[in-house]
Amino acid sequence: MTSKGTPLPLHDTLRDLALLRASSVDLSGLIADDPTSSQAPREVEGVEESTIQSFAFVREVRTALRMHNSGEAQKQATRIEKVQVELVDVLRSLSD
């Protein structure tokens, strides 16, 4: 299997390793000791919940953008303003 170029240039790899060493990053702390620990399912649940919330947020934003771009929001705002004016008129007539 031949590659079309060096996938990890030695110079860049050595520089990255030197930066990791200088920053005192403990790479062993990033890997879980026991993949079947009770912590893993909670993390997975958290990730799944976060993903579901992200999808819901994106869906709501897309709906809002569609509504804004279609001019529907402006139409609704105009209707609300008309109703507010009518209600103010009704209140004035009741108070007289």
Side-chain angles (χ1 to χ4, degrees):
M1 186 163 127
T2 62
S3 65
K4 298 179 181 179
T6 308
L8 296 173
L10 182 60
H11 178 267
D12 293 339
T13 304
L14 291 175
R15 179 180 45 100
D16 293 343
L17 289 172
L19 286 171
L20 284 171
R21 184 175 183 195
S23 64
S24 301
V25 174
D26 183 18
L27 296 177
S28 64
L30 299 175
I31 300 172
D33 293 334
D34 183 16
T36 61
S37 70
S38 62
Q39 191 77 2
R42 279 188 247 141
E43 289 177 7
V44 170
E45 288 174 7
V47 169
E48 287 176 359
E49 182 179 338
S50 177
T51 303
I52 291 168
Q53 289 174 351
S54 293
F55 278 116
F57 175 75
V58 168
R59 187 173 41 252
E60 292 295 325
V61 168
R62 286 181 177 166
T63 302
L65 285 173
R66 257 188 248 112
M67 194 165 110
H68 173 74
N69 291 337
S70 71
E72 186 64 30
Q74 188 61 36
K75 290 176 191 174
Q76 292 295 334
T78 304
R79 287 179 55 202
I80 290 171
E81 288 174 6
K82 287 180 184 178
V83 169
Q84 285 177 334
V85 168
E86 291 174 7
L87 288 174
V88 168
D89 290 342
V90 168
L91 285 174
R92 277 192 207 139
S93 66
L94 289 174
S95 65
D96 290 341

